[in-house]
Short mmCIF file of all heavy atoms in Angstrom, two decimals:
data_model
loop_
_atom_site.label_atom_id
_atom_site.label_comp_id
_atom_site.label_asym_id
_atom_site.label_seq_id
_atom_site.Cartn_x
_atom_site.Cartn_y
_atom_site.Cartn_z
N VAL A 172 17.45 14.22 31.05
CA VAL A 172 16.53 14.22 29.90
C VAL A 172 15.18 13.64 30.18
O VAL A 172 14.15 14.17 29.73
CB VAL A 172 17.18 13.45 28.71
CG1 VAL A 172 16.22 13.38 27.58
CG2 VAL A 172 18.46 14.18 28.28
N LEU A 173 15.15 12.58 30.98
CA LEU A 173 13.82 11.84 31.14
C LEU A 173 13.13 12.24 32.39
O LEU A 173 13.40 13.26 32.97
CB LEU A 173 14.12 10.35 31.09
CG LEU A 173 14.77 9.91 29.81
CD1 LEU A 173 15.00 8.31 29.90
CD2 LEU A 173 13.94 10.19 28.57
N GLY A 174 12.15 11.41 32.78
CA GLY A 174 11.44 11.64 34.08
C GLY A 174 10.52 12.83 34.02
O GLY A 174 9.66 12.94 33.11
N GLN A 175 10.64 13.74 34.94
CA GLN A 175 9.73 14.80 35.08
C GLN A 175 9.73 15.71 33.86
O GLN A 175 8.73 16.40 33.57
CB GLN A 175 10.11 15.67 36.33
CG GLN A 175 9.15 16.84 36.62
CD GLN A 175 7.80 16.32 37.08
OE1 GLN A 175 7.65 15.23 37.48
NE2 GLN A 175 6.77 17.20 37.04
N LEU A 176 10.85 15.81 33.14
CA LEU A 176 10.89 16.64 31.95
C LEU A 176 9.78 16.25 30.95
O LEU A 176 9.14 17.15 30.35
CB LEU A 176 12.24 16.46 31.24
CG LEU A 176 12.49 17.21 29.90
CD1 LEU A 176 12.24 18.69 30.12
CD2 LEU A 176 13.80 16.91 29.33
N GLU A 177 9.50 14.96 30.83
CA GLU A 177 8.41 14.52 29.91
C GLU A 177 7.08 15.14 30.39
O GLU A 177 6.36 15.70 29.54
CB GLU A 177 8.35 13.03 29.90
CG GLU A 177 9.55 12.33 29.33
CD GLU A 177 9.42 10.78 29.46
OE1 GLU A 177 8.58 10.33 30.18
OE2 GLU A 177 10.22 10.08 28.78
N ARG A 178 6.80 15.07 31.64
CA ARG A 178 5.53 15.53 32.15
C ARG A 178 5.44 17.07 32.06
O ARG A 178 4.36 17.60 31.71
CB ARG A 178 5.30 15.08 33.62
CG ARG A 178 5.19 13.58 33.69
CD ARG A 178 4.87 13.10 35.09
NE ARG A 178 5.97 13.24 36.04
CZ ARG A 178 6.91 12.35 36.22
NH1 ARG A 178 6.89 11.22 35.49
NH2 ARG A 178 7.87 12.57 37.07
N GLU A 179 6.52 17.76 32.33
CA GLU A 179 6.49 19.22 32.28
C GLU A 179 6.34 19.68 30.87
O GLU A 179 5.61 20.68 30.60
CB GLU A 179 7.76 19.79 32.94
CG GLU A 179 7.85 19.64 34.42
CD GLU A 179 6.75 20.35 35.18
OE1 GLU A 179 6.24 21.36 34.69
OE2 GLU A 179 6.42 19.86 36.26
N LEU A 180 7.01 19.09 29.92
CA LEU A 180 6.84 19.40 28.52
C LEU A 180 5.42 19.18 28.05
O LEU A 180 4.86 19.99 27.28
CB LEU A 180 7.84 18.69 27.64
CG LEU A 180 9.26 19.22 27.64
CD1 LEU A 180 10.21 18.34 26.83
CD2 LEU A 180 9.29 20.67 27.03
N ALA A 181 4.85 18.09 28.46
CA ALA A 181 3.44 17.77 28.08
C ALA A 181 2.54 18.85 28.58
O ALA A 181 1.65 19.36 27.85
CB ALA A 181 3.03 16.40 28.61
N ARG A 182 2.70 19.23 29.82
CA ARG A 182 1.88 20.26 30.41
C ARG A 182 2.09 21.63 29.73
O ARG A 182 1.10 22.31 29.37
CB ARG A 182 2.16 20.44 31.90
CG ARG A 182 1.27 21.46 32.67
CD ARG A 182 1.68 21.54 34.12
NE ARG A 182 3.05 21.92 34.27
CZ ARG A 182 3.54 23.18 34.12
NH1 ARG A 182 2.68 24.16 33.87
NH2 ARG A 182 4.79 23.46 34.31
N SER A 183 3.35 22.06 29.49
CA SER A 183 3.61 23.36 28.92
C SER A 183 3.13 23.42 27.47
O SER A 183 2.80 24.54 26.99
CB SER A 183 5.12 23.66 29.01
OG SER A 183 5.85 22.78 28.28
N LEU A 184 3.15 22.32 26.74
CA LEU A 184 2.71 22.35 25.34
C LEU A 184 1.25 22.01 25.19
O LEU A 184 0.72 21.96 24.07
CB LEU A 184 3.55 21.27 24.54
CG LEU A 184 5.03 21.56 24.47
CD1 LEU A 184 5.72 20.40 23.77
CD2 LEU A 184 5.30 22.83 23.68
N GLY A 185 0.50 21.82 26.32
CA GLY A 185 -0.92 21.55 26.17
C GLY A 185 -1.20 20.14 25.74
O GLY A 185 -2.27 19.88 25.11
N LEU A 186 -0.29 19.19 25.94
CA LEU A 186 -0.48 17.84 25.49
C LEU A 186 -0.88 16.95 26.73
O LEU A 186 -0.64 17.27 27.87
CB LEU A 186 0.79 17.27 24.90
CG LEU A 186 1.32 18.01 23.65
CD1 LEU A 186 2.71 17.51 23.33
CD2 LEU A 186 0.35 17.85 22.49
N ASP A 187 -1.49 15.81 26.38
CA ASP A 187 -1.78 14.77 27.41
C ASP A 187 -0.70 13.74 27.50
O ASP A 187 -0.65 12.99 28.46
CB ASP A 187 -3.13 14.11 27.11
CG ASP A 187 -4.26 15.09 27.24
OD1 ASP A 187 -4.43 15.78 28.24
OD2 ASP A 187 -5.02 15.30 26.22
N ARG A 188 0.17 13.69 26.51
CA ARG A 188 1.25 12.73 26.52
C ARG A 188 2.50 13.37 25.83
O ARG A 188 2.41 13.87 24.77
CB ARG A 188 0.94 11.41 25.81
CG ARG A 188 2.11 10.41 25.75
CD ARG A 188 1.85 9.32 24.73
NE ARG A 188 0.78 8.50 25.18
CZ ARG A 188 0.22 7.52 24.41
NH1 ARG A 188 0.66 7.40 23.15
NH2 ARG A 188 -0.77 6.80 24.87
N PHE A 189 3.63 13.27 26.47
CA PHE A 189 4.89 13.56 25.89
C PHE A 189 5.88 12.56 26.45
O PHE A 189 6.13 12.54 27.65
CB PHE A 189 5.48 14.99 26.16
CG PHE A 189 6.78 15.25 25.51
CD1 PHE A 189 6.81 15.82 24.24
CD2 PHE A 189 7.95 14.95 26.13
CE1 PHE A 189 8.08 16.09 23.66
CE2 PHE A 189 9.19 15.23 25.53
CZ PHE A 189 9.16 15.74 24.30
N GLN A 190 6.36 11.64 25.65
CA GLN A 190 7.26 10.52 26.17
C GLN A 190 8.44 10.31 25.33
O GLN A 190 8.38 10.45 24.03
CB GLN A 190 6.35 9.24 26.17
CG GLN A 190 7.07 8.05 26.76
CD GLN A 190 6.18 6.76 26.74
OE1 GLN A 190 5.27 6.67 25.92
NE2 GLN A 190 6.40 5.95 27.71
N VAL A 191 9.55 10.04 25.91
CA VAL A 191 10.82 9.67 25.28
C VAL A 191 11.09 8.20 25.66
O VAL A 191 11.18 7.88 26.84
CB VAL A 191 11.98 10.57 25.66
CG1 VAL A 191 13.27 10.19 24.95
CG2 VAL A 191 11.61 12.02 25.45
N GLN A 192 11.30 7.37 24.66
CA GLN A 192 11.65 5.95 24.91
C GLN A 192 13.07 5.72 24.38
O GLN A 192 13.37 6.04 23.26
CB GLN A 192 10.66 5.02 24.19
CG GLN A 192 9.21 5.20 24.74
CD GLN A 192 8.19 4.48 23.89
OE1 GLN A 192 7.79 4.94 22.82
NE2 GLN A 192 7.83 3.27 24.32
N LEU A 193 13.90 5.05 25.21
CA LEU A 193 15.29 4.79 24.88
C LEU A 193 15.59 3.31 24.94
O LEU A 193 16.10 2.79 25.89
CB LEU A 193 16.21 5.52 25.86
CG LEU A 193 16.19 7.06 25.78
CD1 LEU A 193 16.97 7.64 26.90
CD2 LEU A 193 16.75 7.59 24.45
N PRO A 194 15.29 2.57 23.87
CA PRO A 194 15.63 1.14 23.81
C PRO A 194 17.12 0.88 23.99
O PRO A 194 17.53 -0.23 24.36
CB PRO A 194 15.11 0.68 22.45
CG PRO A 194 14.02 1.66 22.07
CD PRO A 194 14.52 2.98 22.68
N LEU A 195 17.93 1.86 23.67
CA LEU A 195 19.41 1.76 23.80
C LEU A 195 19.76 1.28 25.24
O LEU A 195 20.75 0.49 25.40
CB LEU A 195 20.09 3.05 23.51
CG LEU A 195 21.60 3.12 23.68
CD1 LEU A 195 22.27 2.26 22.62
CD2 LEU A 195 22.06 4.57 23.54
N LEU A 196 19.02 1.72 26.25
CA LEU A 196 19.36 1.41 27.66
C LEU A 196 19.08 -0.06 27.94
O LEU A 196 19.54 -0.61 28.92
CB LEU A 196 18.58 2.30 28.55
CG LEU A 196 18.83 3.81 28.44
CD1 LEU A 196 17.95 4.59 29.36
CD2 LEU A 196 20.27 4.17 28.60
N GLN A 197 18.29 -0.70 27.07
CA GLN A 197 18.00 -2.15 27.24
C GLN A 197 18.70 -3.00 26.16
O GLN A 197 18.24 -4.11 25.90
CB GLN A 197 16.52 -2.42 27.20
CG GLN A 197 15.77 -1.99 28.50
CD GLN A 197 15.53 -0.48 28.50
OE1 GLN A 197 15.20 0.14 27.51
NE2 GLN A 197 15.79 0.15 29.68
N GLY A 198 19.73 -2.43 25.57
CA GLY A 198 20.51 -3.19 24.53
C GLY A 198 20.11 -2.94 23.15
O GLY A 198 20.58 -3.59 22.23
N GLY A 199 19.15 -2.03 22.92
CA GLY A 199 18.63 -1.71 21.54
C GLY A 199 19.60 -0.76 20.87
O GLY A 199 20.72 -0.45 21.34
N ASP A 200 19.09 -0.26 19.68
CA ASP A 200 19.91 0.67 18.91
C ASP A 200 19.51 2.10 19.17
O ASP A 200 18.34 2.41 19.51
CB ASP A 200 19.72 0.38 17.38
CG ASP A 200 20.27 -0.91 16.92
OD1 ASP A 200 21.33 -1.36 17.65
OD2 ASP A 200 19.75 -1.59 16.06
N LEU A 201 20.47 3.02 19.04
CA LEU A 201 20.17 4.45 19.32
C LEU A 201 19.07 4.99 18.37
O LEU A 201 18.23 5.78 18.82
CB LEU A 201 21.43 5.30 19.10
CG LEU A 201 21.31 6.80 19.35
CD1 LEU A 201 20.91 7.07 20.80
CD2 LEU A 201 22.58 7.47 19.01
N GLU A 202 19.10 4.60 17.09
CA GLU A 202 18.09 5.13 16.20
C GLU A 202 16.65 4.61 16.49
O GLU A 202 15.74 5.19 15.90
CB GLU A 202 18.46 4.78 14.73
CG GLU A 202 18.53 3.30 14.43
CD GLU A 202 20.01 2.82 14.47
OE1 GLU A 202 20.74 3.28 15.30
OE2 GLU A 202 20.34 1.95 13.62
#
Side-chain angles (χ1 to χ4, degrees):
V172 173
L173 302 179
Q175 183 69 17
L176 177 59
E177 296 176 345
R178 296 186 288 275
E179 291 296 333
L180 280 175
R182 181 182 59 81
S183 64
L184 296 174
L186 299 170
D187 295 304
R188 176 194 294 170
F189 181 92
Q190 185 179 28
V191 182
Q192 297 170 280
L193 293 172
L195 177 67
L196 301 177
Q197 287 78 43
D200 294 329
L201 178 63
E202 60 263 36

